[in-house]
Amino acid sequence: MRKIATIVFGLFASLFILYTTIFGLFTPVVQRGIFIGTIMSLGFLNRPAKLPQKLSKLVDPLDALCVLLTLASTGYMLYTSATFMDRIGLVNVNDIVFGIIFMVMLLEVTRRYMGPALSIIAILFLVYSRFGKYLPGYFGHKGYTLSRIVQTLYLTTNGIFGSALQAATAYLAKFVIFGELLDATGGSKAFMDFATAIGGRRRGGPAKIAVISSALTGSINGSPAANVTTTGTFTIPLMKKVGYTACVAGAVEAVASSGGSILPPVMGSSAFVMSEMTGIPYASIALASAIPAIIYYVAIYFVVDFEAARNNYARISEEEIPPLKTALKKSINFFIPLTVLIIFLVVLKYTIQRSVLYAMVSIIVLNIFNKEYRLTPKRIY
């Protein structure tokens, strides 16, 4: 049942994101409410609650309850948002109850994915906003009522449904699908082969492969965690094989993958939040980030080269290195969508939504005649 529910929510989230990419966004509250409600539900389904062995039978019912509470509180927010402007400042009991439920669910799904620290910090600030009037000196303030806190966080676009969620809904989610399309059509493997062909023959080759492949992969997903998962499973064992310690191999991959969040055209979520909060076009932020990102990766490349020279690390065997011409031929298909994205975004000044849409279309068109990675309905699903 959990698997079926995950598929349903996953398909709905993907179709909703693609629909708004093609036909435009809904009103801010509706757009963000539908998005976060769906994503939080997926979060509970994909990361089950951890209970003692004696209570293991309660995991599924507990997660189902969390999903229902999330949908109920999100649905109430969407239902009442149309009338809230007419009664602004007048918060009723239902607003407070559903608002508290929604915030508790958000704190819980955050705890499951990010650990307790972030949720604890959020709770401390909530307590501070309510009881700050009891603090002396500069840290004290007049204090806010529970209804005021719930109203701001839950029923306006100044709290949970603010600019950070807008960036995730309007921009980031679309780039996630773009990156997944590239990966589903063999992009990550092609970039890895290309990086191996370039750096594999040099001293400390595996570390240089990690740097180059992380840069290429990071440019399409913008996520350090996803980058490590994609490239690290190959590069870390390879580095250890030629003499790197586990500590150094992990550090090289982690640092190289982290750079993906500042490498255009697809950067990390902070770039989208920056664009949303400042009003600066994303293309301008991406352009400004290009030179620092290049310097970052050049610096890492030289550091791993010096480390390899100092410790006399071996190169990888010739049999493991694909010919550069073959690797370049395979990877060229994946540089084209990135080029399309950059041209529409930077040169033609299209919106982010429209630019990423055309980049997705280019991926599908390029792989129509590719038997190995053709986007059949099954692969898309």
Coordinates of all heavy atoms in Angstrom, one line a residue, residues 214-296:
S214 N 32.3 15.3 -10.8 CA 31.5 16.1 -9.9 C 31.1 17.4 -10.4 O 30.0 17.9 -10.2 CB 32.2 16.2 -8.5 OG 32.4 15.0 -7.9
A215 N 32.0 18.1 -11.1 CA 31.7 19.4 -11.8 C 30.6 19.2 -12.8 O 29.6 19.9 -12.9 CB 32.9 20.0 -12.3
L216 N 30.8 18.2 -13.7 CA 29.9 17.9 -14.8 C 28.5 17.5 -14.2 O 27.5 18.0 -14.7 CB 30.4 16.9 -15.7 CG 31.7 17.2 -16.5 CD1 32.2 16.0 -17.3 CD2 31.3 18.3 -17.5
T217 N 28.5 16.6 -13.3 CA 27.2 16.1 -12.7 C 26.6 17.3 -11.9 O 25.3 17.4 -12.0 CB 27.4 14.9 -11.8 OG1 28.1 13.9 -12.6 CG2 26.1 14.3 -11.4
G218 N 27.4 18.0 -11.2 CA 26.8 19.1 -10.4 C 26.2 20.2 -11.2 O 25.3 20.9 -10.7
S219 N 26.7 20.3 -12.4 CA 26.1 21.4 -13.3 C 24.7 21.1 -13.7 O 23.9 22.0 -14.2 CB 27.0 21.6 -14.5 OG 26.9 20.4 -15.4
I220 N 24.2 19.8 -13.6 CA 22.9 19.5 -14.0 C 22.0 19.1 -12.8 O 20.7 19.0 -13.0 CB 22.9 18.3 -14.9 CG1 23.4 17.0 -14.3 CG2 23.6 18.6 -16.2 CD1 23.2 15.7 -15.1
N221 N 22.5 19.0 -11.6 CA 21.6 18.7 -10.5 C 21.7 19.7 -9.3 O 20.8 19.8 -8.6 CB 21.8 17.2 -9.9 CG 23.2 17.0 -9.4 OD1 23.8 17.8 -8.8 ND2 23.6 15.7 -9.5
G222 N 22.8 20.3 -9.1 CA 23.0 21.4 -8.1 C 22.9 20.9 -6.7 O 22.8 21.7 -5.8
S223 N 22.9 19.6 -6.5 CA 22.7 19.0 -5.2 C 24.0 18.2 -4.7 O 24.3 17.2 -5.4 CB 21.5 18.0 -5.1 OG 21.5 17.3 -3.9
P224 N 24.7 18.7 -3.7 CA 25.9 18.0 -3.3 C 25.6 16.5 -2.9 O 26.4 15.6 -3.2 CB 26.4 18.8 -2.1 CG 25.9 20.2 -2.3 CD 24.5 20.0 -3.0
A225 N 24.5 16.3 -2.2 CA 24.2 15.0 -1.7 C 23.9 14.0 -2.9 O 24.4 12.9 -3.0 CB 22.9 15.0 -0.8
A226 N 23.1 14.5 -3.9 CA 22.9 13.7 -5.1 C 24.1 13.5 -5.9 O 24.4 12.4 -6.5 CB 21.8 14.4 -6.0
N227 N 25.0 14.5 -5.9 CA 26.3 14.4 -6.6 C 27.2 13.3 -6.0 O 27.7 12.5 -6.8 CB 27.0 15.8 -6.6 CG 27.9 16.0 -7.7 OD1 28.4 15.1 -8.4 ND2 28.2 17.2 -8.0
V228 N 27.3 13.3 -4.7 CA 28.1 12.3 -4.0 C 27.5 10.9 -4.3 O 28.3 9.9 -4.6 CB 28.1 12.5 -2.5 CG1 28.7 11.3 -1.8 CG2 29.0 13.8 -2.2
T229 N 26.2 10.8 -4.3 CA 25.6 9.5 -4.5 C 25.8 9.0 -5.9 O 26.1 7.8 -6.1 CB 24.0 9.6 -4.3 OG1 23.8 10.1 -3.0 CG2 23.4 8.3 -4.4
T230 N 25.8 9.9 -6.9 CA 26.0 9.6 -8.3 C 27.4 9.2 -8.6 O 27.7 8.2 -9.2 CB 25.5 10.7 -9.2 OG1 24.1 11.0 -8.8 CG2 25.5 10.3 -10.7
T231 N 28.3 10.1 -8.3 CA 29.7 9.9 -8.7 C 30.6 9.2 -7.6 O 31.5 8.5 -8.0 CB 30.4 11.3 -9.0 OG1 30.3 12.1 -7.8 CG2 29.6 12.0 -10.1
G232 N 30.2 9.4 -6.4 CA 31.1 8.9 -5.3 C 31.1 7.4 -5.2 O 32.2 6.8 -4.8
T233 N 30.0 6.7 -5.6 CA 30.0 5.3 -5.6 C 31.1 4.7 -6.5 O 31.5 3.5 -6.3 CB 28.6 4.7 -6.0 OG1 28.2 5.3 -7.2 CG2 27.6 5.1 -4.9
F234 N 31.5 5.5 -7.5 CA 32.5 5.0 -8.5 C 33.9 5.5 -8.1 O 34.9 4.8 -8.1 CB 32.1 5.4 -9.9 CG 33.2 5.2 -10.9 CD1 33.4 3.9 -11.4 CD2 34.0 6.2 -11.3 CE1 34.4 3.7 -12.4 CE2 35.0 6.0 -12.3 CZ 35.2 4.7 -12.8
T235 N 34.0 6.8 -7.8 CA 35.3 7.5 -7.6 C 35.9 7.1 -6.3 O 37.2 7.0 -6.2 CB 35.1 9.0 -7.7 OG1 34.2 9.5 -6.8 CG2 34.6 9.4 -9.1
I236 N 35.2 7.0 -5.2 CA 35.8 6.7 -3.9 C 36.5 5.4 -3.9 O 37.7 5.3 -3.5 CB 34.7 6.9 -2.8 CG1 34.3 8.3 -2.6 CG2 35.3 6.3 -1.4 CD1 33.2 8.6 -1.6
P237 N 35.8 4.3 -4.3 CA 36.6 3.0 -4.3 C 37.8 3.1 -5.3 O 38.8 2.4 -5.0 CB 35.5 2.0 -4.9 CG 34.2 2.6 -4.5 CD 34.4 4.1 -4.7
L238 N 37.7 3.8 -6.4 CA 38.8 3.9 -7.3 C 39.9 4.7 -6.7 O 41.1 4.3 -6.9 CB 38.3 4.7 -8.6 CG 39.0 4.4 -9.9 CD1 39.0 2.9 -10.2 CD2 38.4 5.2 -11.0
M239 N 39.7 5.7 -5.9 CA 40.7 6.4 -5.2 C 41.4 5.5 -4.2 O 42.7 5.5 -4.1 CB 40.2 7.7 -4.6 CG 39.9 8.8 -5.5 SD 39.5 10.4 -4.7 CE 37.7 10.2 -4.6
K240 N 40.6 4.8 -3.4 CA 41.2 3.9 -2.4 C 42.1 2.8 -3.1 O 43.1 2.4 -2.5 CB 40.1 3.3 -1.6 CG 39.4 4.3 -0.7 CD 38.1 3.8 -0.1 CE 38.4 2.7 0.9 NZ 37.1 2.2 1.5
K241 N 41.7 2.4 -4.3 CA 42.3 1.3 -5.0 C 43.8 1.7 -5.3 O 44.7 0.9 -5.4 CB 41.6 1.0 -6.3 CG 42.1 -0.2 -7.0 CD 41.2 -0.5 -8.2 CE 41.8 -1.6 -9.1 NZ 40.9 -1.9 -10.3
V242 N 44.0 3.0 -5.7 CA 45.4 3.4 -6.1 C 46.2 4.0 -4.9 O 47.3 4.5 -5.1 CB 45.3 4.5 -7.2 CG1 44.6 3.9 -8.4 CG2 44.6 5.7 -6.8
G243 N 45.6 4.0 -3.7 CA 46.4 4.3 -2.5 C 45.9 5.4 -1.6 O 46.4 5.7 -0.5
Y244 N 44.8 6.2 -2.1 CA 44.3 7.2 -1.2 C 43.6 6.6 0.0 O 43.0 5.5 -0.1 CB 43.2 8.0 -2.0 CG 43.7 8.9 -3.0 CD1 43.9 8.5 -4.3 CD2 43.9 10.3 -2.7 CE1 44.4 9.4 -5.3 CE2 44.3 11.2 -3.7 CZ 44.5 10.7 -5.0 OH 45.0 11.6 -5.9
T245 N 43.8 7.2 1.2 CA 43.1 6.8 2.4 C 41.6 7.0 2.2 O 41.2 7.9 1.4 CB 43.7 7.5 3.6 OG1 43.3 8.9 3.5 CG2 45.2 7.3 3.8
A246 N 40.9 6.3 3.0 CA 39.4 6.4 3.0 C 39.0 7.9 3.3 O 38.1 8.5 2.7 CB 38.7 5.5 3.9
C247 N 39.8 8.5 4.3 CA 39.5 9.8 4.7 C 39.7 10.8 3.6 O 38.8 11.7 3.3 CB 40.4 10.2 5.9 SG 40.1 11.8 6.6
V248 N 40.8 10.7 2.9 CA 41.1 11.7 1.8 C 40.2 11.4 0.6 O 39.7 12.4 0.0 CB 42.6 11.5 1.4 CG1 42.9 12.3 0.1 CG2 43.6 11.9 2.5
A249 N 39.9 10.2 0.3 CA 39.0 9.9 -0.8 C 37.6 10.5 -0.5 O 37.0 11.1 -1.4 CB 38.9 8.4 -1.0
G250 N 37.1 10.3 0.7 CA 35.8 10.9 1.0 C 35.8 12.4 1.0 O 34.9 13.0 0.5
A251 N 36.9 13.0 1.5 CA 37.0 14.5 1.5 C 37.1 15.0 0.1 O 36.4 16.0 -0.2 CB 38.3 14.9 2.3
V252 N 37.8 14.4 -0.8 CA 37.9 14.9 -2.2 C 36.5 14.9 -2.8 O 36.1 15.8 -3.5 CB 38.9 14.0 -3.0 CG1 38.8 14.4 -4.5 CG2 40.3 14.3 -2.5
E253 N 35.8 13.8 -2.7 CA 34.5 13.6 -3.3 C 33.5 14.6 -2.7 O 32.7 15.2 -3.4 CB 34.0 12.2 -3.2 CG 32.6 11.9 -3.8 CD 32.6 12.3 -5.3 OE1 33.5 11.9 -6.0 OE2 31.7 13.0 -5.7
A254 N 33.6 14.8 -1.4 CA 32.6 15.7 -0.7 C 32.8 17.1 -1.1 O 31.9 17.8 -1.4 CB 32.8 15.5 0.8
V255 N 34.1 17.5 -1.2 CA 34.4 18.9 -1.5 C 34.1 19.2 -3.0 O 33.5 20.2 -3.4 CB 35.9 19.3 -1.2 CG1 36.2 20.6 -1.8 CG2 36.1 19.2 0.2
A256 N 34.4 18.2 -3.9 CA 34.1 18.4 -5.3 C 32.6 18.4 -5.6 O 32.2 19.2 -6.4 CB 34.8 17.2 -6.1
S257 N 31.9 17.6 -4.9 CA 30.4 17.5 -5.1 C 29.8 18.8 -4.5 O 28.8 19.2 -5.1 CB 29.9 16.3 -4.4 OG 30.3 15.1 -5.0
S258 N 30.3 19.3 -3.5 CA 29.7 20.6 -2.9 C 29.7 21.7 -3.9 O 28.9 22.6 -3.8 CB 30.4 20.9 -1.6 OG 30.2 19.9 -0.6
G259 N 30.7 21.7 -4.7 CA 30.8 22.8 -5.7 C 29.7 22.9 -6.7 O 29.5 23.9 -7.3
G260 N 29.0 21.8 -6.8 CA 27.8 21.8 -7.8 C 26.8 22.8 -7.4 O 26.0 23.2 -8.3
S261 N 26.7 23.1 -6.1 CA 25.7 24.1 -5.7 C 26.0 25.5 -6.2 O 25.1 26.4 -6.1 CB 25.5 24.1 -4.2 OG 26.7 24.4 -3.6
I262 N 27.2 25.8 -6.6 CA 27.5 27.1 -7.2 C 27.9 27.1 -8.6 O 28.3 28.1 -9.2 CB 28.6 27.8 -6.3 CG1 29.9 27.0 -6.4 CG2 28.2 28.0 -4.9 CD1 31.1 27.7 -5.9
L263 N 27.7 26.0 -9.3 CA 28.1 25.8 -10.7 C 26.9 26.0 -11.6 O 26.0 25.1 -11.6 CB 28.8 24.5 -10.9 CG 29.5 24.2 -12.2 CD1 30.7 25.2 -12.4 CD2 30.0 22.8 -12.4
P264 N 26.9 27.0 -12.5 CA 25.8 27.1 -13.5 C 25.9 26.0 -14.5 O 26.9 25.3 -14.6 CB 26.1 28.4 -14.1 CG 27.1 29.1 -13.2 CD 27.9 28.1 -12.5
P265 N 24.7 25.7 -15.2 CA 23.5 26.5 -15.2 C 22.5 26.1 -14.1 O 21.7 26.9 -13.7 CB 22.9 26.2 -16.5 CG 23.3 24.8 -16.9 CD 24.7 24.7 -16.3
V266 N 22.6 24.9 -13.5 CA 21.7 24.5 -12.5 C 22.5 24.5 -11.2 O 23.3 23.7 -10.9 CB 21.1 23.1 -12.7 CG1 20.1 22.7 -11.6 CG2 20.5 23.0 -14.1
M267 N 22.1 25.5 -10.3 CA 22.8 25.7 -9.0 C 22.0 25.2 -7.9 O 20.9 24.7 -8.1 CB 23.2 27.1 -8.8 CG 24.2 27.6 -10.0 SD 24.9 29.2 -9.5 CE 23.5 30.3 -9.6
G268 N 22.4 25.3 -6.7 CA 21.7 24.8 -5.5 C 20.5 25.7 -5.2 O 20.3 26.7 -5.8
S269 N 19.7 25.2 -4.3 CA 18.5 25.9 -3.9 C 18.7 27.3 -3.5 O 17.8 28.2 -3.6 CB 17.7 25.1 -2.8 OG 18.5 24.9 -1.7
S270 N 19.9 27.6 -2.8 CA 20.1 28.9 -2.3 C 20.1 30.0 -3.4 O 19.7 31.1 -3.2 CB 21.5 29.0 -1.6 OG 22.5 28.5 -2.4
A271 N 20.6 29.6 -4.6 CA 20.6 30.5 -5.8 C 19.2 30.9 -6.2 O 18.9 32.1 -6.5 CB 21.3 29.9 -6.9
F272 N 18.2 30.0 -6.1 CA 16.9 30.3 -6.5 C 16.2 31.1 -5.4 O 15.4 32.1 -5.7 CB 16.1 29.0 -6.7 CG 16.6 28.2 -7.8 CD1 17.4 27.1 -7.6 CD2 16.3 28.5 -9.1 CE1 17.9 26.3 -8.6 CE2 16.7 27.7 -10.1 CZ 17.5 26.6 -9.9
V273 N 16.5 30.8 -4.1 CA 16.0 31.7 -3.0 C 16.6 33.1 -3.1 O 15.8 34.1 -2.9 CB 16.4 31.0 -1.7 CG1 15.9 32.0 -0.5 CG2 15.7 29.7 -1.5
M274 N 17.8 33.2 -3.5 CA 18.5 34.5 -3.6 C 17.8 35.3 -4.7 O 17.5 36.5 -4.6 CB 19.9 34.3 -4.0 CG 20.8 35.6 -4.0 SD 22.5 35.3 -4.6 CE 23.0 34.0 -3.5
S275 N 17.5 34.6 -5.8 CA 16.8 35.3 -6.9 C 15.4 35.8 -6.5 O 15.0 36.9 -6.8 CB 16.7 34.4 -8.1 OG 15.9 34.9 -9.2
E276 N 14.7 34.9 -5.8 CA 13.3 35.2 -5.4 C 13.3 36.3 -4.4 O 12.4 37.2 -4.4 CB 12.7 33.9 -4.8 CG 11.2 34.1 -4.3 CD 10.3 34.4 -5.5 OE1 10.6 34.0 -6.6 OE2 9.3 35.0 -5.3
M277 N 14.2 36.4 -3.4 CA 14.2 37.4 -2.4 C 14.7 38.7 -2.8 O 14.3 39.8 -2.3 CB 15.0 36.9 -1.2 CG 14.5 35.7 -0.5 SD 15.4 35.2 1.0 CE 15.0 36.5 2.1
T278 N 15.7 38.7 -3.7 CA 16.3 40.0 -4.2 C 15.7 40.6 -5.4 O 15.8 41.8 -5.7 CB 17.8 39.8 -4.4 OG1 18.0 38.9 -5.5 CG2 18.5 39.3 -3.2
G279 N 15.0 39.7 -6.2 CA 14.4 40.2 -7.5 C 15.4 40.2 -8.6 O 15.1 40.7 -9.7
I280 N 16.6 39.7 -8.3 CA 17.7 39.7 -9.4 C 17.4 38.5 -10.2 O 17.2 37.4 -9.7 CB 19.1 39.6 -8.8 CG1 19.4 40.8 -7.9 CG2 20.1 39.4 -9.9 CD1 20.7 40.7 -7.1
P281 N 17.4 38.6 -11.6 CA 17.1 37.5 -12.5 C 18.1 36.3 -12.2 O 19.3 36.5 -11.9 CB 17.3 38.0 -13.9 CG 17.1 39.5 -13.7 CD 17.6 39.9 -12.4
Y282 N 17.6 35.1 -12.2 CA 18.4 33.9 -12.0 C 19.6 33.9 -13.0 O 20.7 33.5 -12.6 CB 17.6 32.6 -12.1 CG 18.4 31.4 -11.9 CD1 18.8 31.0 -10.6 CD2 18.8 30.6 -13.0 CE1 19.5 29.8 -10.5 CE2 19.6 29.5 -12.8 CZ 19.9 29.1 -11.6 OH 20.7 28.0 -11.4
A283 N 19.4 34.3 -14.2 CA 20.5 34.3 -15.2 C 21.6 35.1 -14.8 O 22.8 34.8 -14.9 CB 19.9 34.7 -16.6
S284 N 21.3 36.3 -14.2 CA 22.4 37.2 -13.7 C 23.2 36.6 -12.5 O 24.4 36.7 -12.4 CB 21.8 38.5 -13.2 OG 21.1 39.1 -14.3
I285 N 22.4 35.9 -11.6 CA 23.1 35.2 -10.5 C 24.0 34.1 -11.0 O 25.1 33.9 -10.5 CB 22.1 34.7 -9.5 CG1 21.3 35.8 -8.8 CG2 22.7 33.8 -8.5 CD1 20.2 35.4 -7.9
A286 N 23.5 33.3 -12.0 CA 24.3 32.2 -12.6 C 25.5 32.8 -13.3 O 26.6 32.2 -13.1 CB 23.4 31.5 -13.6
L287 N 25.4 33.8 -14.0 CA 26.6 34.4 -14.6 C 27.6 34.9 -13.6 O 28.8 34.7 -13.8 CB 26.2 35.6 -15.5 CG 25.6 35.3 -16.9 CD1 25.1 36.6 -17.6 CD2 26.7 34.6 -17.8
A288 N 27.1 35.5 -12.5 CA 28.0 36.0 -11.5 C 28.7 34.9 -10.8 O 29.9 35.0 -10.3 CB 27.2 36.8 -10.5
S289 N 28.1 33.7 -10.7 CA 28.7 32.5 -10.1 C 29.6 31.8 -10.9 O 30.4 31.0 -10.4 CB 27.5 31.6 -9.6 OG 28.0 30.5 -9.0
A290 N 29.6 32.0 -12.2 CA 30.4 31.2 -13.1 C 31.9 31.2 -12.8 O 32.6 30.2 -12.7 CB 30.2 31.6 -14.6
I291 N 32.5 32.4 -12.7 CA 33.9 32.6 -12.5 C 34.4 32.0 -11.1 O 35.3 31.2 -11.0 CB 34.4 34.0 -12.6 CG1 34.2 34.5 -14.1 CG2 35.8 34.2 -12.2 CD1 34.5 35.9 -14.4
P292 N 33.7 32.3 -10.0 CA 34.0 31.7 -8.7 C 33.9 30.2 -8.7 O 34.8 29.5 -8.1 CB 33.0 32.3 -7.7 CG 32.6 33.6 -8.3 CD 32.6 33.4 -9.8
A293 N 32.9 29.7 -9.4 CA 32.8 28.2 -9.5 C 34.0 27.6 -10.3 O 34.5 26.5 -9.8 CB 31.5 27.9 -10.2
I294 N 34.4 28.2 -11.4 CA 35.5 27.7 -12.1 C 36.8 27.7 -11.3 O 37.6 26.8 -11.3 CB 35.7 28.5 -13.4 CG1 34.5 28.2 -14.4 CG2 37.0 28.1 -14.1 CD1 34.4 29.1 -15.6
I295 N 37.0 28.9 -10.6 CA 38.2 29.0 -9.7 C 38.2 27.9 -8.6 O 39.2 27.3 -8.3 CB 38.2 30.4 -9.1 CG1 38.5 31.4 -10.2 CG2 39.3 30.5 -8.1 CD1 38.4 32.9 -9.7
Y296 N 37.0 27.7 -8.1 CA 36.8 26.7 -7.1 C 37.3 25.3 -7.5 O 38.1 24.6 -6.9 CB 35.3 26.6 -6.7 CG 35.0 25.6 -5.6 CD1 35.0 25.9 -4.3 CD2 34.6 24.3 -5.9 CE1 34.7 25.0 -3.3 CE2 34.2 23.4 -5.0 CZ 34.3 23.8 -3.6 OH 33.9 22.8 -2.7

